[in-house]
Amino acid sequence: MAASPVRVRALRISVTLLAGAAGGSLASYAGLPAGTLSGSLLAVAIVSLAGFPTEVPNWLRLPVYLFLGIYAGTGVGPETIVQMRTWPVSFAVVLATLVVVVAMSYRWLNRWCGWDPISALLAAMPGSLAMVMATAESVNADLRKIAVTQTVRLLILIEIIPLLALLTGVGTGAPDAPVHETATADLHQVAMVFALGAVGGILLMRARLPGGLMLGGLIATAVLYLTSAVDGQLPPGLVAPATVVLGAVAGSRFRPGDWQLLPRLGGPAIVAFAIGMGISLAAATLVTVTLGVGFIQAFMAFAPGAIEALIIVAFALDVDPAYVAAHHVVRFFAISLTTPLIAKWVSKRPGPRG
């Protein structure tokens, strides 16, 4: 007797979360900064590529985004206000970096790998996957090339930042959440944080911002802390399970059939990522030297994509998540405003098909 669809789906979800929990626990036990996130992502990606259809349902994913955004907001402090004077210059560097990353990655994929112009352009975009995929469908681009390239970029990015932090000694004392000496907030304050965080998250989600639930929760919580309406820390016990779910969401972007595509698409995707990574590292170094922003913080703000995961990595490494989030939002708006127009122009150009 065949299993019911409900039981099959329950099995998929259970295996996905168990794989994420196992991977996150191992990485955290090994002392890797943000280990629950990177370990969960890697474990679920392996399970997906091995042929199991992983899944994290919306009813679990959306509350986790909001929850993690609220917790990330507690990492915003008075130093954020002081540092905001450097943000306009830093935003300008982000936009200039975006142009160079897209141009160089596009050239690699189109000229050297033989990808058609529109697929090369959209695969070169650092982040904003929903917008990129929607544009790809409207101009008949190769959706599998774009999805695999973007997913490979996300996987490598989230795995490499904790390793880079480990090598530089950032966040090694707090693998899953920053440790503060502040007392725990009382029940009234906790209720206020979650209530206003939910309002902010829902508003930004309806505004269709990337990671709107997480960003709204972060902003609302940050305002409460910056105005001293709340002065205690939220209970930390649920952060690790929530980051396991976030890693599982990212890892489940791989599908079983992607294994056959990786030998053909993996090489171009990895080199395109390396191009973007090198340019982003150079820009982060420039901002660190000229504006005095911490290198890991600057790099996470300039890293090519993955806004939700990078906000949580910033929180886990005890660097300013507001700085990271603001730069990714600026880049998102730039990509959203220009991608459809550039894509339509590029789609009319002759070029190799592959």
Side-chain angles (χ1 to χ4, degrees):
M1 182 176 178
S4 69
V6 173
R7 289 185 177 181
V8 170
R9 190 178 186 214
L11 176 63
R12 287 202 306 265
I13 295 169
S14 299
V15 171
T16 302
L17 296 178
L18 285 172
S25 297
L26 286 173
S28 184
Y29 180 76
L32 187 66
T36 50
L37 174 65
S38 58
S40 174
L41 189 159
L42 184 59
V44 173
I46 291 172
V47 170
S48 298
L49 290 172
F52 189 88
T54 54
E55 177 185 359
V56 179
N58 277 339
W59 58 261
L60 177 59
R61 180 171 55 190
L62 296 181
V64 163
Y65 284 164
L66 175 62
F67 176 85
L68 288 174
I70 290 170
Y71 266 79
T74 67
V76 178
E79 66 278 2
T80 301
I81 302 298
V82 175
Q83 198 181 79
M84 278 184 178
R85 62 185 173 78
T86 70
W87 286 17
V89 176
S90 194
F91 288 160
V93 178
V94 160
L95 294 176
T97 302
L98 172 63
V99 172
V100 178
V101 167
V102 172
M104 297 301 291
S105 301
Y106 169 81
R107 185 176 182 86
W108 159 253
L109 294 171
N110 176 242
R111 294 287 183 89
W112 293 95
C113 300
W115 290 21
D116 63 276
I118 188 60
S119 296
L121 173 71
L122 295 176
M125 289 292 172
S128 305
L129 181 63
M131 168 64 69
V132 167
M133 294 303 291
T135 303
E137 290 190 49
S138 69
V139 294
N140 297 317
D142 189 327
L143 297 179
R144 295 311 301 159
K145 281 183 176 179
I146 297 165
V148 170
T149 302
Q150 294 278 3
T151 304
V152 166
R153 174 185 52 76
L154 173 65
L155 174 64
I156 300 174
L157 183 63
I158 301 307
E159 297 303 322
I160 203 170
I161 287 180
L163 291 174
L164 186 61
L166 189 64
L167 291 173
T168 57
V170 176
T172 53
D176 295 305
V179 177
H180 300 279
E181 298 298 330
T182 310
T184 301
D186 61 35
L187 185 60
H188 172 74
Q189 290 180 324
V190 171
M192 180 169 58
V193 167
F194 277 93
L196 292 182
V199 171
I202 292 170
L203 287 175
L204 290 195
M205 182 179 69
R206 288 179 177 268
R208 300 185 181 277
L209 274 178
L213 273 174
M214 183 176 286
L215 281 173
L218 186 155
I219 292 169
T221 305
V223 169
L224 291 174
Y225 276 82
L226 289 173
T227 58
S228 299
V230 176
D231 55 9
Q233 291 300 310
L234 300 180
L238 295 176
V239 174
T243 54
V244 164
V245 174
L246 181 62
V249 170
S252 64
R253 283 172 54 173
F254 279 109
R255 308 313 308 157
D258 291 343
W259 184 256
Q260 286 77 31
L261 297 174
L262 284 180
R264 179 167 60 91
L265 303 181
I270 290 171
V271 174
F273 169 81
I275 292 169
M277 175 69 79
I279 295 168
S280 298
L281 280 168
T285 302
L286 175 65
V287 167
T288 297
V289 171
T290 59
L291 301 180
V293 178
F295 175 73
I296 293 295
Q297 178 174 307
F299 176 64
M300 282 189 285
F302 283 74
I307 179 172
E308 295 97 338
L310 287 172
I311 289 172
I312 295 308
V313 172
F315 176 65
L317 299 182
D318 212 4
V319 300
D320 189 353
Y323 179 89
V324 175
H327 286 69
H328 281 273
V329 169
V330 166
R331 185 174 59 198
F332 166 78
F333 277 117
I335 291 175
S336 298
L337 292 172
T338 60
T339 295
L341 298 175
I342 298 173
K344 288 183 179 179
W345 175 69
V346 169
S347 66
K348 297 176 182 177
R349 296 181 59 198
R353 296 281 160 183

